[in-house]
Amino acid sequence: MAHAVEKHPVTGLPANPEKATLDGKNKYVAFWFFLGGETVLFASLFGTYVGLLNSGAPEELRSYNIFEMGLVFFMTMLLLTSSLTSVLAMMNMKANNPGRMKFWLIVTLVLGAGFLAAEIYEFIHYYHIGHTFTSSAFGSAFYTLVGFHGAHVTFGLFWIGTLLIRNWNRPIDVYNAPKFYVSSLYWHFIDVVWVFIFSIVYLLGMVS
Amino acid sequence: MEKRPMNESHKQLELEVKAESKREYQLQLISFAMMILLTFLAFGAVYAELMPVWAAGGFLIILAIIQVFLQLYMFMHMNNRGNTWIVGMMWLGIFVAVITVAALRLLIW
Amino acid sequence: MMMFALLLSGCGVEGLSALRPMGEGAEIQLRIILISLAIMLFVLVIVTVIHVYVLMKFRRKDDSIPKQVEGSSTLELIWTVVPIILLIILAVPTITTTVELAKAKEAKKEEEINVTANLYWWEFEYPNAGVVTGQELVIPTGKRVGINLTSKDVIHSFWVPALSGKTDTNPGLDNEMWLHANEPGTFYGKCAELCGPSHALMDFKVIALDQADYDQWLEDMKAKQDEDAERLTANNENLTVGEAVYVESCLSCHGGGKVAPSLTNYGDREWLAGYLENNEEELKQWIRDPQSLKQGALMPGFTEGQISDEELDALVDFLYDQKID
Amino acid sequence: MDWITTVDHKKIGILYLFSGIFFLLLGGIEALLIRWQLVRPMNDFVSGETFNQLITMHGTTMIFLAAMPMLFGFMNAVVPLQIGARDVAFPFINSLGFWLFFFGGVMLNLSWFFGAAPNAGWTAYAPLSTQPEATGVDFYALGLQISGFGSLMAGINFLVTILNMRAPGMKLMRMPLFTWTTFVASALIVFAFPPLTVGLFMLMFERLFGAVYFNPAMGGNVIIWEHLFWIFGHPEVYILILPAFGIFSEIIPTFARKRLFGYTTMVFATMLIGFLGFMVWVHHMFTVGLGPVANSIFAVATMAIAVPTGVKIFNWLFTLWGGQIKFNVAMLYSVAFIPSFLVGGMTGVMLSVAPADYQYHDSYFVVAHFHYVIVGGVVYGLFAGLYYWFPLMFGKALSEKLGYWQFWLFFIGFHLTFFPQHFLGLFGMPRRVFTYLPNQGFETMNLLSTIGAFFMGVSTIILLVAVVKAFMSKQVVKPDHWEDGRTLEWTLPVPTPEYNFAQTPLVKGLDTFWLEKMAGNKRVSVSEPVTDIHMPNNSLIPFFMSLGLFIAGLGAIFQKDNMIIGWSLIAFGLLMTFVSMFLRSWIDDHGYYIPKSQVEADLKAIREKGEQ
Ligand code: HEA
Ligand code: HEA
Ligand code: CUA
Ligand SMILES: [Cu+2]
């Protein structure tokens, strides 16, 4: 429904362009609800992982013997920073600075891609030492949880990438702002999940 | 109150907007700094083997929870006006998530 | 008509029905079933009376518009509080009974039996006496017997309705419960968790004996089992035909009683394969083609090439000779 | 073609409804085959293996492909109208949700044609469900996964629709109860389906790609599946019953001509049931061996649900009290629901007594319980809703005369089928048995039960006849067909224009139409002048998105036998889905406008007919 939306005199956009229209508001609310569901989805994965931690794995392939702190720390920093750059992009979107928004989104993408590359490297490494999807219940649970997260990252990269390309030459308006905003929520959520992954899977795995 | 001419009020507004966005910017940077700090704490604690195993679990999880709330409330602005239902649904989700993990931790053997 | 049918079948078959408890566990459970039933009937009567009254009294008679009532806090309070009270009355015995039924550890100090479920048969091991048997669980009367439960393959569930409710047997995990029978007798057991095509046929029996008879039984079993183990071996040259066939074809699985049911006391058993009448004809069909009687059974069938008809006769004779008394 | 591309909630509602009825017939035929096999001891009508496939498909079909979709059908057809909206929040997603469900259902039933249907029960406990030879379970895992995505989308869509799309004045506490129950059930969907999704993924990975979560030999644990399934499974039963409660809460006030008694408590009771529903799943696992502490806690938590449910029962009774009750078929089902569901609820509370459940569990007592609540609650609700809203959805009414026959046959058949099953369970008959021995006391009750099932079969055929008859008739019904309508959907002309409301109504209170009628107004107030109306475009993309997943799912199953075909199907299907998604994101879709002149012309035509 086309409301006459009040535009901010400075930015030329409504104060919250992502939910200025009914469509935008719908998307915004719906996406949050979706994230509520995703919370439970990842909880189920975490639960499974916790239930199967180290189960069926030989000593040398247990969590405390295979995880490496350096790489995980590096990945964490990449993803955390990408969360910040995503915030910066959204701030610039609201301020109607398409150029800077695009810049920060690209940085976000690059950081995300770096994360993904590191994860792939990590998985290949595990594969070589024998910790695989089918090697033990622990392996299955580990790859399912971390892999689901990785798949989310991948999807996020494609999504934000598509949005960027599609809107490269278009101004920010109440039609595409919700799309950007929602994708950024998604990206933050990926980071939220990662916080638990590095804490519970990796760090706790290293001490247990 | 006296009415200011149009362009002056516009300038005023512009300044306000700038100030506002600067505040927001700083706020986000502070949140980010805190997240980094929490992350360092977590990794540091494990790296330096500061804690007995039983305490580490609780500690790490608490740090993670704080950090996640920073994400939700600062980065994602979950608490914005008009988000009552969103907050409600997220909390319900968190509730279900917690009992799910607890069950899979405690109710299997 | 339905009432009549109900009367006819009474409360189910003795030795099977949960409504005719024969042991402490089932008695405890029936008691709490009746408590809950009483509460339910109370509620049912109240609701039904109101409902019938309303339906009779307030049929549409004219085109008038009834008074639009918003609600009534008093009434609503009543039908919130009364159920809460009823449920508290129910919750207390629920908790105490749950705790009582969980006292397997204590029971195990007295007597301990390991139950292992397998695809469509039951293995019963008496760890203290070193005896293994199958399909028929023998227990002493008058005391709680501690039971450990597990499974070799999928999930099954151990249920002897007349003695006690069920406990699942989970592969890779151990469970425990206790079983108690008041008097000597035979009770029917069922597998209560879907486990495959022959889930329905995975019945077993529980035979309760006086303590003295029970001790005697254990002793005899042990003696027979040891004797069999010594005699029924491939290097023994004095075997009868039936024994030789058994040793050649059956022993590798049925020998220890762990891969397939022990046959040490097969001749004493009332049932074949847990549910069939134990007669020669059925036994022969079973040996020739077990899947025809129990779809999905893991025992291979034996053709005439493997066991000739004469050998089969001898084998059957041998099996019916496998008795301990 | 229009039916494939439509994004109109009314049409999607009809699609859901008829697909649901179709699957209800399938599930019903399976039920009749089950009952026929059990008509006498040691019957050999079907083998144990086939029987297991029948019960699995019966349970799965009924729950996921019949009951839920039919409810979604009513939600789609009615909720936007009840809140004065022009459509749901996401018409595109709505269509996508339907097609995902549809293809998921087709996939599940395809299993019959590929050698074997799933055979591990609708609960698919591992490791029975992970046995390599149980290939039907592949279809179960993927089919439910796909249709599950559809349910999740539908759930989110309803939540947002109800929150954001209400007409002016339609405050939350003025929403009709069906809308409320839809809202709560949708919230349950959002939180309950993810555990199922995870469980199904794990099942699929284990069956098709070598994972070992449930394999004890590799460190796996079989209890994990049970938890995940029931964390989903219990809320699922409330996802089914709450909308049914909503339907009764519409019908009872309408035909009693009385405002719903205790509206506010009804709303809060609904929320409370939904909330508590997440804390009780272990009552399905009392015999698993979780220990007395867990069993006690969950037993008491389960009992607690009786309280808000009881509040509802009494509120309905007191809505009837002092009313002017008209007994048509919709109302017959509603008043028959109360005692029938009550019995199911009572046995539910009996089951929640953990130590007693050691006896009941996995016996026919449980089968009796859940058919009492599901058939006596959900199915009665669906039938009631069908008679009640049929005129609104199709512009024709179902024959009341056939309806009486249908009702009475069903009512008698239902009790005859399921009441004896309580005794069967207590007499020691386990469920999911393809046969039973003679002389164990099971013969009479099973015979009665089978007879009853065929009563229900005949009744269902009569229902079909009534539907066909209605469609063939030339009857045209008026708006407010029942003349006692209280809520906004009854203010609309039939057939309802695609934009629903020419002018968005202005809601003045609970049962706003009734209020206006009582105030002597023929029409409800409106909140806007006639203007251009924005409408969403139809789209083929949802169909192809779902088709892609369907193809990829089949590929995942075939990949076990034939790597090349399987993986190319996976690649092709996923590509189709992702390209569709990409297109959706790439092509701007701003919808279109129905010009004001058109709306005015419609309005005039309707008013000239003197109908509104
Ligand atoms: C629509 C579906 C539906 C509904 C509404 C319910 C409602 C309830 N169910 Fe049921 N249930 C199922 C569908 C449903 N169930 C299914 C499908 C299964 C089997 C799954 C499978 O294994 O395949 C099952 C199984 C099941 C079990 C597991 C049994 C077992 O496998 O061993 C239990 C145990 O506690 C249970 C309990 C309850 C309870 C307490 C309620 C309560 O919500 C009922 C509340 C209602 C009332 C109590 C009546 C009204 C109340 C009053 C008038 C107030 C006064 C009352 C009192 C004080 C008692 N159910
Ligand atoms: C919404 C859910 C739902 C519904 C409506 C029903 C409806 C019925 N169910 Fe069942 N049922 C379940 C959900 C449901 N069920 C579940 C979840 C299970 C557990 C499965 C498991 O163990 O895994 C189960 C299990 C189950 C069993 C136990 C099987 C076992 O444990 O061995 C039985 C046995 O009597 C049964 C019977 C029936 C009957 C007679 C009906 C009747 O009400 C059906 C009435 C409908 C009809 C009779 C339709 C008739 C159709 C026609 C006449 C066709 C005409 C055809 C054309 C014109 C094309 N069901
Ligand atoms: Cu073993 Cu059922
Ligand atoms: Cu339940």
Side-chain angles (χ1 to χ4, degrees):
Chain A
M1 261 178 267
H3 285 282
V5 190
E6 199 175 319
K7 290 189 176 160
H8 196 280
V10 179
T11 59
L13 275 178
N16 284 312
E18 75 277 7
K19 39 185 174 173
T21 61
L22 181 60
D23 267 344
K25 206 155 66 189
N26 286 346
K27 275 210 181 73
Y28 176 80
V29 176
F31 201 79
W32 269 105
F33 290 173
F34 172 71
L35 293 183
E38 288 261 277
T39 309
V40 183
L41 181 108
F42 276 102
S44 311
L45 292 165
F46 272 105
T48 307
Y49 174 81
V50 174
L52 294 176
L53 177 63
N54 285 333
S55 181
E59 183 61 24
E60 70 276 12
L61 292 181
R62 299 199 159 198
S63 60
Y64 38 86
N65 284 327
I66 57 171
F67 293 149
E68 280 166 36
M69 191 177 271
L71 184 68
V72 178
F73 186 71
F74 173 67
M75 288 162 73
T76 305
M77 285 303 142
L78 285 184
L79 214 55
L80 270 184
T81 315
S82 81
S83 206
L84 177 72
T85 57
S86 168
V87 171
L88 296 179
M90 285 311 105
M91 283 174 63
N92 280 303
M93 179 188 86
K94 290 193 187 188
N96 205 358
N97 294 325
R100 265 181 269 168
M101 176 186 84
K102 281 185 275 191
F103 171 75
W104 286 119
L105 282 183
I106 291 173
V107 177
T108 308
L109 286 183
V110 171
L111 291 169
F115 171 88
L116 205 60
E119 185 152 86
I120 292 171
Y121 165 81
E122 185 200 3
F123 283 5
I124 292 176
H125 167 70
Y126 291 151
Y127 181 79
H128 283 302
I129 62 174
H131 171 59
T132 70
F133 189 53
T134 53
S135 65
S136 64
F138 171 52
S140 297
F142 170 81
Y143 283 101
T144 313
L145 170 57
V146 182
F148 251 83
H149 176 263
H152 274 70
V153 174
T154 316
F155 185 82
L157 291 179
F158 278 110
W159 183 8
I160 298 176
T162 309
L163 281 179
L164 258 182
I165 299 171
R166 180 68 183 104
N167 294 295
W168 194 259
N169 286 321
R170 300 208 282 189
I172 296 168
D173 55 28
V174 293
Y175 178 69
N176 57 24
K179 298 188 175 199
F180 279 116
Y181 195 85
V182 160
S183 70
S184 127
L185 284 181
Y186 181 77
W187 195 260
H188 292 305
F189 186 77
I190 291 174
D191 203 41
V192 165
V193 174
W194 180 256
V195 170
F196 280 108
I197 293 190
F198 85 68
S199 305
I200 291 178
V201 175
Y202 290 102
L203 291 182
L204 255 174
M206 286 179 216
V207 294
S208 67
Chain B
M1 233 214 288
E2 207 184 323
K3 265 196 178 171
R4 293 206 202 96
M6 182 58 201
N7 55 345
E8 204 172 308
S9 92
H10 189 85
K11 254 192 205 128
Q12 172 76 21
L13 250 178
E14 207 160 292
L15 283 178
E16 269 173 29
V17 169
K18 283 238 171 83
E20 171 64 32
S21 96
K22 186 141 185 233
R23 255 203 311 279
E24 165 90 7
Y25 183 67
Q26 280 168 347
L27 207 63
Q28 299 297 7
L29 277 189
I30 293 172
S31 321
F32 181 67
M34 283 173 68
M35 290 179 199
I36 297 286
L37 185 76
L38 289 167
T39 309
F40 266 91
L41 264 178
F43 277 89
V46 174
Y47 183 70
E49 292 173 16
L50 285 178
M51 269 169 302
V53 174
W54 62 265
F59 179 70
L60 289 172
I61 289 170
I62 289 171
L63 289 191
I65 289 173
I66 301 176
Q67 179 161 171
V68 159
F69 278 98
L70 280 174
Q71 286 268 359
L72 287 173
Y73 281 93
M74 302 307 298
F75 279 12
M76 297 166 80
H77 300 94
M78 185 162 90
N79 230 8
N80 270 4
R81 223 158 42 81
N83 278 10
T84 330
W85 281 100
I86 290 176
V87 175
M89 286 289 282
M90 278 309 279
W91 274 103
L92 264 176
I94 291 168
F95 168 76
V96 177
V98 168
I99 56 175
T100 303
V101 176
L104 288 170
R105 174 85 190 78
L106 302 173
L107 295 185
I108 62 174
W109 74 105
Chain C
M1 183 186 77
M2 215 149 78
M3 288 318 286
F4 182 65
L6 265 183
L7 285 179
L8 261 188
S9 49
C11 290
V13 167
E14 186 169 296
L16 173 60
S17 170
L19 298 178
R20 295 182 172 191
M22 307 289 200
E24 202 186 339
E27 276 163 4
I28 292 177
Q29 283 157 344
L30 183 61
R31 195 175 331 127
I32 196 156
I33 288 175
L34 293 177
I35 294 175
S36 64
L37 186 63
I39 298 179
M40 297 312 136
L41 287 178
F42 173 71
V43 177
L44 192 70
V45 167
I46 292 181
V47 174
T48 311
V49 167
I50 301 179
H51 196 40
V52 170
Y53 174 77
V54 166
L55 293 186
M56 309 290 267
K57 179 91 192 290
F58 300 109
R59 304 172 155 270
R60 190 170 292 187
K61 295 169 201 95
D62 48 39
D63 215 28
S64 69
I65 302 295
K67 189 158 156 268
Q68 304 291 307
V69 190
E70 236 179 81
S72 150
S73 347
T74 345
L75 280 176
E76 294 186 55
L77 200 67
I78 292 177
W79 61 64
T80 311
V81 172
V82 173
I84 291 181
I85 295 172
L86 291 177
L87 290 174
I88 292 174
I89 296 176
L90 185 56
V92 174
T94 298
I95 296 172
T96 52
T97 317
T98 308
V99 172
E100 187 60 31
L101 289 171
K103 290 182 174 162
K105 292 257 166 359
E106 286 168 29
K108 274 196 244 174
K109 283 184 209 136
E110 290 266 324
E111 193 73 54
E112 188 169 6
I113 301 176
N114 298 334
V115 173
T116 307
N118 294 265
L119 277 172
Y120 319 132
W121 64 276
W122 296 88
E123 171 197 320
F124 304 115
E125 182 185 21
Y126 300 76
N128 300 326
V131 167
V132 178
T133 177
Q135 305 294 41
E136 289 184 358
L137 171 63
V138 178
I139 57 167
T141 55
K143 68 177 177 190
R144 295 181 180 182
V145 182
I147 310 266
N148 297 310
L149 304 119
T150 190
S151 163
K152 282 245 188 61
D153 30 61
V154 302
I155 304 175
H156 307 261
S157 193
F158 176 85
W159 187 26
V160 194
L163 296 185
S164 182
K166 56 193 77 64
T167 306
D168 291 359
T169 64
N170 303 305
L173 300 166
D174 293 324
N175 254 340
E176 53 183 24
M177 67 180 288
W178 57 261
L179 208 57
H180 174 281
N182 294 331
E183 304 285 333
T186 302
F187 311 99
Y188 299 90
K190 305 248 169 202
C191 172
E193 182 65 60
L194 180 63
C195 50
S198 286
H199 158 62
L201 307 178
M202 198 172 150
D203 289 9
F204 59 96
K205 279 192 181 169
V206 176
I207 296 168
L209 301 176
D210 283 337
Q211 186 71 43
D213 293 344
Y214 172 74
D215 291 338
Q216 184 61 45
W217 179 82
L218 263 188
E219 216 173 278
D220 293 348
M221 272 299 279
K222 176 72 180 154
K224 174 86 170 27
Q225 195 177 295
D226 290 348
E227 182 199 317
D228 281 0
E230 208 169 302
R231 194 166 54 87
L232 299 172
T233 59
N235 8 357
N236 185 345
E237 288 170 5
N238 304 329
L239 294 176
T240 64
V241 180
E243 285 171 343
V245 177
Y246 173 81
V247 168
E248 192 187 327
S249 302
C250 317
L251 185 71
S252 61
C253 293
H254 287 277
K258 297 261 177 188
V259 180
S262 151
L263 300 175
T264 309
N265 58 346
Y266 181 78
D268 293 333
R269 295 206 191 133
E270 197 182 329
W271 282 353
L272 158 66
Y275 80 102
L276 293 163
E277 196 188 320
N278 194 358
N279 61 34
E280 227 169 276
E281 201 181 323
E282 303 270 25
L283 178 56
K284 284 183 181 166
Q285 188 184 345
W286 175 264
I287 294 170
R288 286 269 181 249
D289 186 6
Q291 280 75 25
S292 69
L293 295 173
K294 227 177 193 178
Q295 196 182 7
L298 298 180
M299 170 166 154
F302 292 86
T303 61
E304 265 174 66
Q306 288 160 311
I307 300 180
S308 71
D309 279 343
E310 297 81 65
E311 284 173 335
L312 187 60
D313 287 337
L315 177 62
V316 167
D317 286 343
F318 161 75
L319 286 174
Y320 282 123
D321 269 352
Q322 290 286 82
K323 293 187 179 186
I324 58 162
D325 45 26
Chain D
M1 192 60 189
D2 187 40
W3 286 104
I4 293 182
T5 60
T6 187
V7 294
D8 181 345
H9 71 93
K10 298 180 287 301
K11 288 191 175 165
I12 291 177
I14 292 173
L15 285 174
Y16 266 122
L17 185 67
F18 279 108
S19 320
I21 291 180
F22 171 74
F23 285 119
L24 180 77
L25 293 180
L26 271 189
I29 292 173
E30 281 150 6
L32 293 182
L33 296 178
I34 293 172
R35 284 311 328 162
W36 189 245
Q37 164 66 17
L38 294 175
V39 67
R40 59 190 170 92
M42 299 309 283
N43 199 4
D44 58 1
F45 172 59
V46 296
S47 71
E49 173 61 23
T50 311
F51 186 86
N52 289 351
Q53 297 176 8
L54 283 174
I55 59 156
T56 306
M57 286 302 283
H58 164 70
T60 315
T61 303
M62 283 297 199
I63 301 253
F64 292 98
L65 308 180
M68 271 180 85
M70 286 178 72
L71 290 169
F72 282 161
F74 291 132
M75 292 176 183
N76 259 303
V78 177
V79 167
L81 307 184
Q82 283 195 330
I83 60 174
R86 294 238 161 84
D87 208 324
V88 291
F90 304 102
F92 177 89
I93 301 273
N94 202 16
S95 156
L96 180 59
F98 170 76
W99 288 110
L100 284 171
F101 140 69
F102 184 80
F103 280 111
V106 170
M107 165 163 283
L108 204 58
N109 280 284
L110 270 188
S111 61
W112 288 116
F113 302 100
F114 284 97
N119 58 1
W122 84 287
T123 51
Y125 278 14
L128 183 63
S129 58
T130 57
Q131 302 295 305
E133 63 275 12
T135 50
V137 180
D138 299 341
F139 290 88
Y140 171 96
L142 283 146
L144 285 190
Q145 189 71 280
I146 293 173
S147 76
F149 289 144
S151 307
L152 187 66
M153 287 177 194
I156 294 180
N157 201 350
F158 284 122
L159 284 175
V160 179
T161 304
I162 293 170
L163 279 182
N164 283 357
M165 309 287 283
R166 279 168 287 138
M170 178 60 84
K171 300 190 185 134
L172 285 176
M173 291 313 275
R174 288 179 178 176
M175 296 195 312
L177 226 75
F178 182 60
T179 301
W180 260 117
T181 52
T182 299
F183 185 79
V184 175
S186 301
L188 293 184
I189 289 179
V190 172
F191 298 128
F193 269 74
L196 179 70
T197 304
V198 169
L200 290 173
F201 265 119
M202 288 165 61
L203 184 59
M204 175 182 85
F205 289 150
E206 179 139 354
R207 288 198 56 81
L208 299 175
F209 304 107
V212 288
Y213 321 93
F214 310 125
N215 183 346
M218 303 287 277
N221 189 312
V222 297
I223 309 298
I224 291 178
W225 166 268
E226 295 188 24
H227 277 301
L228 288 178
F229 185 85
W230 288 119
I231 290 175
F232 149 78
H234 187 80
E236 168 69 17
V237 307
Y238 293 119
I239 294 172
L240 296 177
I241 199 67
L242 288 179
F245 284 173
I247 295 175
F248 296 124
S249 304
E250 299 294 316
I251 294 176
I252 290 176
T254 303
F255 296 116
R257 276 200 181 156
K258 228 176 124 248
R259 193 193 139 105
L260 188 64
F261 193 92
Y263 171 84
T264 317
T265 26
M266 287 298 249
V267 172
F268 285 104
T270 308
M271 294 198 219
L272 194 59
I273 294 174
F275 180 70
L276 290 175
F278 280 103
M279 294 189 281
V280 301
W281 78 91
V282 167
H283 66 219
H284 297 276
M285 299 168 64
F286 281 149
T287 65
V288 167
L290 302 176
V293 178
N295 281 1
S296 301
I297 293 174
F298 280 92
V300 175
T302 303
M303 290 175 193
I305 298 189
V307 177
T309 318
V311 168
K312 283 182 162 263
I313 297 265
F314 286 107
N315 277 334
W316 285 315
L317 287 178
F318 279 77
T319 306
L320 294 170
W321 191 292
Q324 284 271 8
I325 307 172
K326 179 171 162 188
F327 290 101
N328 49 29
V329 182
M331 191 61 170
L332 276 180
Y333 270 112
S334 307
V335 299
F337 147 79
I338 291 179
S340 307
F341 179 81
L342 185 70
V343 172
M346 314 266 85
T347 53
V349 177
M350 291 172 73
L351 285 167
S352 74
V353 176
D357 184 64
Y358 300 163
Q359 286 287 15
Y360 308 131
H361 177 69
D362 266 343
S363 79
Y364 258 86
F365 192 86
V366 175
V367 177
H369 155 68
F370 70 74
H371 284 93
Y372 257 87
V373 276
I374 291 188
V375 179
V378 183
V379 174
Y380 279 21
L382 290 170
F383 285 158
L386 190 66
Y387 284 94
Y388 183 58
W389 280 312
F390 202 88
L392 177 72
M393 291 174 75
F394 302 104
K396 331 242 173 201
L398 290 171
S399 153
E400 289 283 315
K401 216 166 102 209
L402 285 177
Y404 284 117
W405 279 99
Q406 198 255 332
F407 167 77
W408 282 110
L409 277 173
F410 201 85
F411 183 77
I412 295 168
F414 160 69
H415 288 282
L416 191 57
T417 307
F418 297 114
F419 197 72
Q421 293 184 355
H422 294 108
F423 297 98
L424 282 175
L426 292 169
F427 292 173
M429 177 159 163
R431 64 191 279 207
R432 296 168 166 177
V433 289
F434 77 96
T435 194
Y436 50 92
L437 296 176
N439 304 321
Q440 295 203 332
F442 304 150
E443 286 97 331
T444 323
M445 298 295 171
N446 269 305
L447 180 63
L448 287 177
S449 183
T450 300
I451 295 173
F454 281 86
F455 271 67
M456 283 190 279
V458 175
S459 159
T460 313
I461 291 176
I462 296 180
L463 179 69
L464 292 183
V465 172
V467 170
V468 172
K469 231 182 97 187
F471 278 126
M472 307 233 290
S473 80
K474 296 213 171 60
Q475 183 195 19
V476 186
V477 304
K478 295 204 186 95
D480 195 10
H481 174 73
W482 304 109
E483 289 164 1
D484 289 327
R486 309 176 72 86
T487 41
L488 280 177
E489 77 263 33
W490 299 112
T491 65
L492 289 165
V494 250
T496 312
E498 52 182 331
Y499 47 78
N500 300 347
F501 296 90
Q503 293 159 287
T504 304
L506 179 69
V507 177
K508 296 189 174 155
L510 179 64
D511 295 339
T512 189
F513 185 33
W514 178 262
L515 294 180
E516 301 267 16
K517 277 198 276 192
M518 289 301 111
N521 304 331
K522 280 188 83 181
R523 258 172 261 140
V524 287
S525 322
V526 294
S527 63
E528 58 170 14
V530 179
T531 52
D532 296 347
I533 294 178
H534 181 247
M535 297 299 296
N537 285 322
N538 282 1
S539 171
L540 204 51
I541 292 178
F543 180 81
F544 278 105
M545 254 191 216
S546 318
L547 182 63
L549 280 185
F550 174 74
I551 293 173
L554 285 183
I557 294 170
F558 295 152
Q559 126 321 113
K560 256 196 323 193
D561 297 330
N562 188 325
M563 288 281 276
I564 300 171
I565 297 187
W567 282 100
S568 21
L569 280 180
I570 293 180
F572 177 72
L574 286 182
L575 193 73
M576 184 187 277
T577 300
F578 282 115
V579 167
S580 308
M581 284 166 89
F582 179 80
L583 286 178
R584 171 67 184 166
S585 154
W586 197 265
I587 304 169
D588 287 344
D589 183 355
H590 293 286
Y592 67 100
Y593 282 90
I594 296 179
K596 182 178 166 185
S597 54
Q598 170 82 50
V599 181
E600 275 171 340
D602 288 355
L603 263 182
K604 201 160 147 245
I606 290 163
R607 286 187 188 159
E608 263 166 17
K609 274 200 281 176
E611 284 180 356
Q612 207 193 7

